[in-house]
Amino acid sequence: MAGTLQRISNFCDGVRCSMAMLILNNIFGNTWRGAADPDKYPENSEEFWTMAIKDIKMFNPGFLFVAETYWNLEKTMQGLGFDYTSDKVLYDKLKTTVPLKLWSPHCRFDDAAKIGAVYRKIGRGEGNQDIWSR
């Protein structure tokens, strides 16, 4: 997969990694524990995304990584090197809430300072096939 990302980085400015959190070591291990032979497929000591992002950024420093993120893992994914993460909480609220009620602490920009750098690196789009631009 890292080789594929390396090739893609030659042709575009970045990638949006769907369901990026599913290959985190703990999530992958919990999902497949008992289904795979641990002697044949030992758990990695380093996260895939840390290695892949670091390698590609050495080759192409301006390449952007955007993670589709669920389960409140935005901070984790950004800590692994993702430039941006999706805002699943806002997306779910847009699907289920009357627009005037959306103006909640989650959506107010004056609360960004309380949340810090993670909040400023959460992308907001329309859905599963968002268009990201800088």
Side-chain angles (χ1 to χ4, degrees):
M1 192 159 61
T4 300
L5 286 168
Q6 186 74 43
R7 284 189 298 280
I8 290 170
S9 74
N10 291 311
F11 301 105
C12 60
D13 295 330
V15 290
R16 176 188 177 273
C17 303
S18 296
M19 304 299 287
M21 73 288 171
L22 290 182
I23 61 171
L24 292 176
N25 290 340
N26 65 328
I27 293 173
F28 192 86
N30 289 337
T31 301
W32 296 104
R33 186 165 286 119
D37 181 354
D39 294 325
K40 192 172 181 181
Y41 302 102
E43 186 173 313
N44 291 327
S45 59
E46 189 174 5
E47 293 286 353
F48 167 79
W49 289 119
T50 302
M51 295 182 291
I53 292 170
K54 181 179 68 175
D55 289 349
I56 291 170
K57 294 247 183 199
M58 283 176 35
F59 172 75
N60 186 347
F63 195 74
L64 292 176
F65 282 86
V66 178
E68 177 186 30
T69 307
Y70 293 76
W71 310 322
N72 296 316
L73 290 169
E74 294 84 1
K75 184 176 181 179
T76 299
M77 301 308 284
Q78 289 175 21
L80 296 176
F82 279 93
D83 298 294
Y84 298 95
T85 53
S86 58
D87 192 343
K88 178 72 167 109
V89 174
L90 178 60
Y91 179 67
D92 287 344
K93 284 184 179 191
L94 286 170
K95 291 190 318 186
T96 61
T97 306
V98 175
L100 292 176
K101 291 184 180 181
L102 270 175
W103 203 251
S104 69
H106 176 76
C107 303
R108 289 179 44 195
F109 290 103
D110 59 340
D111 289 335
K114 297 176 194 169
I115 299 168
V118 171
Y119 187 83
R120 289 188 295 274
K121 293 177 78 176
I122 294 176
R124 288 160 185 87
E126 296 179 9
N128 198 27
Q129 302 303 320
D130 306 324
I131 297 173
W132 295 78
S133 63
R134 37 178 171 162

mmCIF file of all heavy atoms in Angstrom, residues 97-118:
data_model
loop_
_atom_site.group_PDB
_atom_site.id
_atom_site.type_symbol
_atom_site.label_atom_id
_atom_site.label_comp_id
_atom_site.label_asym_id
_atom_site.label_seq_id
_atom_site.Cartn_x
_atom_site.Cartn_y
_atom_site.Cartn_z
ATOM 1 N N THR A 97 -30.221 17.078 11.878
ATOM 2 C CA THR A 97 -30.601 18.218 12.702
ATOM 3 C C THR A 97 -31.193 19.330 11.856
ATOM 4 O O THR A 97 -30.756 19.577 10.743
ATOM 5 C CB THR A 97 -29.356 18.758 13.452
ATOM 6 O OG1 THR A 97 -28.756 17.678 14.153
ATOM 7 C CG2 THR A 97 -29.738 19.837 14.437
ATOM 8 N N VAL A 98 -32.160 20.033 12.412
ATOM 9 C CA VAL A 98 -32.714 21.229 11.790
ATOM 10 C C VAL A 98 -31.583 22.257 11.712
ATOM 11 O O VAL A 98 -30.867 22.457 12.701
ATOM 12 C CB VAL A 98 -33.892 21.772 12.629
ATOM 13 C CG1 VAL A 98 -34.403 23.079 12.057
ATOM 14 C CG2 VAL A 98 -34.981 20.725 12.738
ATOM 15 N N PRO A 99 -31.376 22.932 10.573
ATOM 16 C CA PRO A 99 -30.232 23.821 10.406
ATOM 17 C C PRO A 99 -30.011 24.828 11.525
ATOM 18 O O PRO A 99 -28.889 25.047 11.939
ATOM 19 C CB PRO A 99 -30.516 24.521 9.074
ATOM 20 C CG PRO A 99 -31.328 23.528 8.316
ATOM 21 C CD PRO A 99 -32.176 22.834 9.352
ATOM 22 N N LEU A 100 -31.062 25.463 12.056
ATOM 23 C CA LEU A 100 -30.858 26.448 13.116
ATOM 24 C C LEU A 100 -30.314 25.828 14.396
ATOM 25 O O LEU A 100 -29.638 26.483 15.158
ATOM 26 C CB LEU A 100 -32.165 27.189 13.401
ATOM 27 C CG LEU A 100 -32.650 28.110 12.282
ATOM 28 C CD1 LEU A 100 -34.007 28.707 12.650
ATOM 29 C CD2 LEU A 100 -31.638 29.200 11.997
ATOM 30 N N LYS A 101 -30.589 24.567 14.611
ATOM 31 C CA LYS A 101 -30.087 23.910 15.818
ATOM 32 C C LYS A 101 -28.638 23.473 15.664
ATOM 33 O O LYS A 101 -28.014 23.060 16.619
ATOM 34 C CB LYS A 101 -30.959 22.698 16.153
ATOM 35 C CG LYS A 101 -32.338 23.079 16.613
ATOM 36 C CD LYS A 101 -33.114 21.855 17.021
ATOM 37 C CE LYS A 101 -34.513 22.247 17.486
ATOM 38 N NZ LYS A 101 -35.277 21.088 17.915
ATOM 39 N N LEU A 102 -28.108 23.566 14.453
ATOM 40 C CA LEU A 102 -26.717 23.177 14.230
ATOM 41 C C LEU A 102 -25.744 24.121 14.906
ATOM 42 O O LEU A 102 -24.616 23.763 15.172
ATOM 43 C CB LEU A 102 -26.404 23.163 12.732
ATOM 44 C CG LEU A 102 -26.638 21.859 12.029
ATOM 45 C CD1 LEU A 102 -26.406 22.040 10.545
ATOM 46 C CD2 LEU A 102 -25.780 20.759 12.574
ATOM 47 N N TRP A 103 -26.162 25.331 15.145
ATOM 48 C CA TRP A 103 -25.249 26.292 15.738
ATOM 49 C C TRP A 103 -25.026 25.939 17.196
ATOM 50 O O TRP A 103 -25.552 26.503 18.111
ATOM 51 C CB TRP A 103 -25.790 27.714 15.576
ATOM 52 C CG TRP A 103 -24.695 28.708 15.652
ATOM 53 C CD1 TRP A 103 -24.455 29.582 16.659
ATOM 54 C CD2 TRP A 103 -23.657 28.897 14.712
ATOM 55 N NE1 TRP A 103 -23.337 30.316 16.410
ATOM 56 C CE2 TRP A 103 -22.815 29.915 15.213
ATOM 57 C CE3 TRP A 103 -23.313 28.304 13.503
ATOM 58 C CZ2 TRP A 103 -21.681 30.347 14.543
ATOM 59 C CZ3 TRP A 103 -22.195 28.750 12.831
ATOM 60 C CH2 TRP A 103 -21.404 29.755 13.351
ATOM 61 N N SER A 104 -24.230 24.949 17.380
ATOM 62 C CA SER A 104 -23.946 24.401 18.706
ATOM 63 C C SER A 104 -22.473 24.611 19.015
ATOM 64 O O SER A 104 -21.718 25.063 18.160
ATOM 65 C CB SER A 104 -24.274 22.908 18.702
ATOM 66 O OG SER A 104 -23.351 22.222 17.890
ATOM 67 N N PRO A 105 -22.039 24.269 20.202
ATOM 68 C CA PRO A 105 -20.613 24.401 20.524
ATOM 69 C C PRO A 105 -19.712 23.670 19.533
ATOM 70 O O PRO A 105 -18.597 24.090 19.293
ATOM 71 C CB PRO A 105 -20.504 23.795 21.924
ATOM 72 C CG PRO A 105 -21.845 24.023 22.504
ATOM 73 C CD PRO A 105 -22.816 23.878 21.351
ATOM 74 N N HIS A 106 -20.218 22.605 18.921
ATOM 75 C CA HIS A 106 -19.391 21.874 17.951
ATOM 76 C C HIS A 106 -19.104 22.719 16.726
ATOM 77 O O HIS A 106 -18.050 22.603 16.120
ATOM 78 C CB HIS A 106 -20.089 20.579 17.529
ATOM 79 C CG HIS A 106 -19.327 19.838 16.476
ATOM 80 N ND1 HIS A 106 -18.200 19.117 16.777
ATOM 81 C CD2 HIS A 106 -19.498 19.754 15.139
ATOM 82 C CE1 HIS A 106 -17.723 18.600 15.661
ATOM 83 N NE2 HIS A 106 -18.498 18.979 14.652
ATOM 84 N N CYS A 107 -20.029 23.568 16.341
ATOM 85 C CA CYS A 107 -19.927 24.303 15.079
ATOM 86 C C CYS A 107 -19.421 25.724 15.246
ATOM 87 O O CYS A 107 -19.125 26.374 14.265
ATOM 88 C CB CYS A 107 -21.288 24.345 14.399
ATOM 89 S SG CYS A 107 -21.983 22.739 14.084
ATOM 90 N N ARG A 108 -19.351 26.230 16.449
ATOM 91 C CA ARG A 108 -18.988 27.629 16.653
ATOM 92 C C ARG A 108 -17.486 27.807 16.568
ATOM 93 O O ARG A 108 -16.728 27.165 17.257
ATOM 94 C CB ARG A 108 -19.501 28.107 18.002
ATOM 95 C CG ARG A 108 -21.009 28.239 18.005
ATOM 96 C CD ARG A 108 -21.552 28.680 19.310
ATOM 97 N NE ARG A 108 -20.764 29.763 19.866
ATOM 98 C CZ ARG A 108 -20.846 30.137 21.126
ATOM 99 N NH1 ARG A 108 -21.671 29.525 21.938
ATOM 100 N NH2 ARG A 108 -20.111 31.110 21.573
ATOM 101 N N PHE A 109 -17.063 28.730 15.701
ATOM 102 C CA PHE A 109 -15.646 28.945 15.498
ATOM 103 C C PHE A 109 -14.980 29.606 16.694
ATOM 104 O O PHE A 109 -13.787 29.477 16.876
ATOM 105 C CB PHE A 109 -15.403 29.754 14.227
ATOM 106 C CG PHE A 109 -15.713 28.965 13.001
ATOM 107 C CD1 PHE A 109 -16.886 29.169 12.293
ATOM 108 C CD2 PHE A 109 -14.857 27.972 12.563
ATOM 109 C CE1 PHE A 109 -17.179 28.423 11.176
ATOM 110 C CE2 PHE A 109 -15.135 27.216 11.440
ATOM 111 C CZ PHE A 109 -16.302 27.443 10.747
ATOM 112 N N ASP A 110 -15.735 30.317 17.544
ATOM 113 C CA ASP A 110 -15.109 30.935 18.700
ATOM 114 C C ASP A 110 -14.692 29.884 19.735
ATOM 115 O O ASP A 110 -13.927 30.161 20.635
ATOM 116 C CB ASP A 110 -16.010 31.998 19.335
ATOM 117 C CG ASP A 110 -17.344 31.458 19.797
ATOM 118 O OD1 ASP A 110 -17.761 30.393 19.327
ATOM 119 O OD2 ASP A 110 -17.984 32.131 20.628
ATOM 120 N N ASP A 111 -15.189 28.670 19.590
ATOM 121 C CA ASP A 111 -14.777 27.590 20.484
ATOM 122 C C ASP A 111 -13.499 26.915 20.005
ATOM 123 O O ASP A 111 -12.936 26.087 20.694
ATOM 124 C CB ASP A 111 -15.876 26.534 20.609
ATOM 125 C CG ASP A 111 -17.067 27.042 21.400
ATOM 126 O OD1 ASP A 111 -16.868 27.956 22.221
ATOM 127 O OD2 ASP A 111 -18.167 26.518 21.207
ATOM 128 N N ALA A 112 -13.026 27.262 18.811
ATOM 129 C CA ALA A 112 -11.845 26.603 18.248
ATOM 130 C C ALA A 112 -10.627 26.779 19.149
ATOM 131 O O ALA A 112 -9.820 25.857 19.284
ATOM 132 C CB ALA A 112 -11.555 27.132 16.852
ATOM 133 N N ALA A 113 -10.497 27.936 19.783
ATOM 134 C CA ALA A 113 -9.339 28.164 20.639
ATOM 135 C C ALA A 113 -9.331 27.215 21.823
ATOM 136 O O ALA A 113 -8.280 26.790 22.289
ATOM 137 C CB ALA A 113 -9.331 29.612 21.126
ATOM 138 N N LYS A 114 -10.513 26.854 22.320
ATOM 139 C CA LYS A 114 -10.597 25.934 23.447
ATOM 140 C C LYS A 114 -10.164 24.526 23.039
ATOM 141 O O LYS A 114 -9.616 23.779 23.826
ATOM 142 C CB LYS A 114 -12.030 25.877 23.985
ATOM 143 C CG LYS A 114 -12.532 27.175 24.539
ATOM 144 C CD LYS A 114 -13.983 27.032 24.953
ATOM 145 C CE LYS A 114 -14.614 28.378 25.192
ATOM 146 N NZ LYS A 114 -16.046 28.284 25.338
ATOM 147 N N ILE A 115 -10.446 24.170 21.805
ATOM 148 C CA ILE A 115 -10.162 22.820 21.323
ATOM 149 C C ILE A 115 -8.735 22.718 20.808
ATOM 150 O O ILE A 115 -8.101 21.690 20.918
ATOM 151 C CB ILE A 115 -11.183 22.422 20.236
ATOM 152 C CG1 ILE A 115 -12.583 22.432 20.841
ATOM 153 C CG2 ILE A 115 -10.869 21.055 19.658
ATOM 154 C CD1 ILE A 115 -13.694 22.336 19.847
ATOM 155 N N GLY A 116 -8.201 23.791 20.236
ATOM 156 C CA GLY A 116 -6.824 23.827 19.816
ATOM 157 C C GLY A 116 -6.595 23.440 18.369
ATOM 158 O O GLY A 116 -7.495 23.487 17.539
ATOM 159 N N ALA A 117 -5.366 23.040 18.095
ATOM 160 C CA ALA A 117 -4.913 22.788 16.729
ATOM 161 C C ALA A 117 -5.683 21.674 16.038
ATOM 162 O O ALA A 117 -5.864 21.712 14.830
ATOM 163 C CB ALA A 117 -3.426 22.465 16.736
ATOM 164 N N VAL A 118 -6.150 20.690 16.760
ATOM 165 C CA VAL A 118 -6.870 19.582 16.141
ATOM 166 C C VAL A 118 -8.110 20.096 15.423
ATOM 167 O O VAL A 118 -8.381 19.742 14.281
ATOM 168 C CB VAL A 118 -7.263 18.511 17.184
ATOM 169 C CG1 VAL A 118 -8.185 17.469 16.590
ATOM 170 C CG2 VAL A 118 -6.014 17.852 17.740
#
